[in-house]
Amino acid sequence: MKKTSLLFAVVFIISSCNNTTSETSNKQNVQAEPFRYAIVIHGGAGYATPEKLGDYGVRVYEAALDSALQIGLRVLDRGASSADAVEQVIRFLEDDTLFNAGRGAALTSEGLAELDASIMWGADQNAGAVAGLTDVRHPITAARRVMDSSVHVMFAGPGATKFAILQGLEIVPQEFFQTAGSRASLARALKADKFGTVGCVALDMNGDLCAGTSTGGITNKKHGRVGDVPVIGAGTYAKNSIAGVSCTGQGEFFIRLAVAKEVISLVEHKGYTVEEAAQEVIFDQLKPFDAKGGVIVLDHLGRVAMEFNTSAMFRAYGNSTGQQLVRIFPD
Ligand code: ASP
């Protein structure tokens, strides 16, 4: 049986999503629908509250997430690969200064943007990652080129820039990242870390899963600090037969616990659903460390989990049946 027809035959299970925002539980298992593709997006986990964001802030973030979702759905609907969907969605979010990735990146203690990104292709565990970029506009595209056009998996610092230049990617001056927003957030970070990393997992009509993540890291981080995002198995993982995962949170702990791969392993070896696996890691395994963050997971049947132990995680989900949701706060 071809993968495509298998997917059509599959029963898709997710909560009773209505067509737009805020009506839906994250939980799966309520409604059964056939589907051809699915996508889940995060824009970081953090300490936003309805009061802090305000009605206007909520609307702005929801609109940005919805735009990203529509980009991903359009790519998948025309039959393109999940890697294309992940790259296009993340490029869009990297250009939006609302998020801590690309242009809106959090800055180091020296006021510089040092960007990390990774992408993984679930069919063969091919992967690409970049760390500590200071001048590449779209780190996710650099990561994709590492995956597609290099025998290596990760490039860092000046070598990563050199690779990006050779690949013909857009190089920008450091000032490009010095937006008013990220400067303001740097000041705020003297008290609290800013999250806002972006990530995406997509399942295409061919049955291929892809996961990607991009970040400026943590505000006020020390120069040269690399978090979980470019570390395959920590911030990002994908395996066609199991699921794709993208993380956000305190990267040091996500590296130490190999969070993305741990979610995959719980599904693969313990028979957990993606929701059970995500909950175990986010609520149980991170707890002894008091580590904060969240995870999005999409399995090979399109079942989704979006779990976080912070007060908010910007997130969106959609699939070919028209089910869509955009959420910020817990259900
Ligand atoms: N995980 C990212 C890092 O530690 C930060 C985040 O997701 O907010 O670099």
Side-chain angles (χ1 to χ4, degrees):
M1 195 181 199
K2 279 181 63 186
K3 271 191 225 158
T4 323
S5 37
L6 223 188
L7 267 180
F8 273 109
V10 146
V11 175
F12 170 70
I13 323 166
I14 188 177
S15 56
S16 51
C17 306
N18 288 331
N19 256 348
T20 48
T21 62
S22 306
E23 295 296 321
T24 315
S25 155
N26 284 338
K27 310 286 186 281
Q28 44 192 16
N29 294 336
V30 178
Q31 190 170 317
E33 295 274 357
F35 76 103
R36 294 175 296 143
Y37 54 81
I39 187 163
V40 59
I41 296 167
H42 74 74
Y47 300 106
T49 61
E51 297 71 41
K52 275 190 211 162
L53 267 189
D55 288 349
Y56 177 73
V58 167
R59 278 201 304 277
V60 169
Y61 271 98
E62 285 184 346
L65 289 165
D66 187 54
S67 298
L69 182 63
Q70 302 314 320
I71 288 169
L73 288 170
R74 273 199 300 277
V75 171
L76 292 168
D77 194 57
R78 64 167 193 260
S81 73
S82 51
D84 288 343
V86 166
E87 184 183 355
Q88 291 309 317
V89 164
I90 293 183
R91 280 175 70 95
F92 172 80
L93 295 170
E94 285 175 341
D95 272 344
D96 189 331
T97 56
L98 284 177
F99 299 99
N100 171 17
R103 185 145 205 220
L107 304 179
T108 66
S109 54
E110 295 174 343
L112 293 176
E114 294 183 356
L115 313 171
D116 302 333
S118 68
I119 190 165
M120 188 165 192
W121 180 239
D124 58 2
Q125 278 75 66
N126 193 7
V130 286
L133 287 175
T134 55
D135 48 11
V136 175
R137 178 171 177 177
H138 289 296
I140 192 65
T141 297
R144 175 135 189 222
R145 293 296 176 88
V146 175
M147 177 170 84
D148 290 346
S149 310
S150 162
V151 294
H152 303 303
V153 168
M154 192 193 294
F155 283 83
T161 294
K162 202 166 171 183
F163 175 81
I165 292 169
L166 289 171
Q167 289 290 317
L169 303 191
E170 186 176 350
I171 304 299
V172 289
Q174 175 65 210
E175 294 73 53
F176 176 81
F177 305 104
Q178 314 287 319
T179 64
S182 49
R183 284 194 177 283
S185 116
L186 175 62
R188 285 200 302 273
L190 298 175
K191 288 193 182 143
D193 290 337
K194 174 196 172 196
F195 297 170
T197 291
V198 304
C200 180
V201 186
L203 175 65
D204 63 30
M205 289 189 199
N206 228 18
D208 287 318
L209 278 164
C210 183
T213 316
S214 180
T215 192
I218 289 180
T219 303
N220 214 25
K221 67 185 181 181
K222 290 283 178 284
H223 52 84
R225 177 266 189 190
V226 176
D228 59 314
V229 167
V231 179
I232 298 299
T236 303
Y237 206 82
K239 187 170 184 178
N240 268 9
S241 58
I242 309 296
V245 180
S246 171
C247 301
T248 173
Q250 292 172 297
E252 282 69 13
F253 297 105
F254 281 65
I255 294 173
R256 288 164 63 185
L257 300 178
V259 164
K261 183 63 164 65
E262 177 66 7
V263 170
I264 295 284
S265 296
L266 289 172
V267 176
E268 186 169 17
H269 303 302
K270 287 203 163 176
Y272 285 24
T273 64
V274 288
E275 186 180 38
E276 288 165 347
Q279 286 180 349
E280 156 134 354
V281 173
I282 296 299
F283 296 111
D284 298 343
Q285 296 193 18
L286 292 181
K287 199 168 178 183
F289 304 92
D290 195 27
K292 300 298 179 194
V295 69
I296 55 171
V297 194
L298 184 68
D299 82 2
H300 65 300
L301 303 182
R303 291 174 297 204
V304 68
M306 296 174 274
E307 301 293 340
F308 51 101
N309 61 11
T310 51
S311 62
M313 183 168 77
F314 300 104
R315 60 201 190 277
Y317 170 84
N319 66 33
S320 57
T321 70
Q323 292 176 319
Q324 293 181 23
L325 69 88
V326 174
R327 301 298 290 270
I328 299 175
F329 304 111
D331 297 317

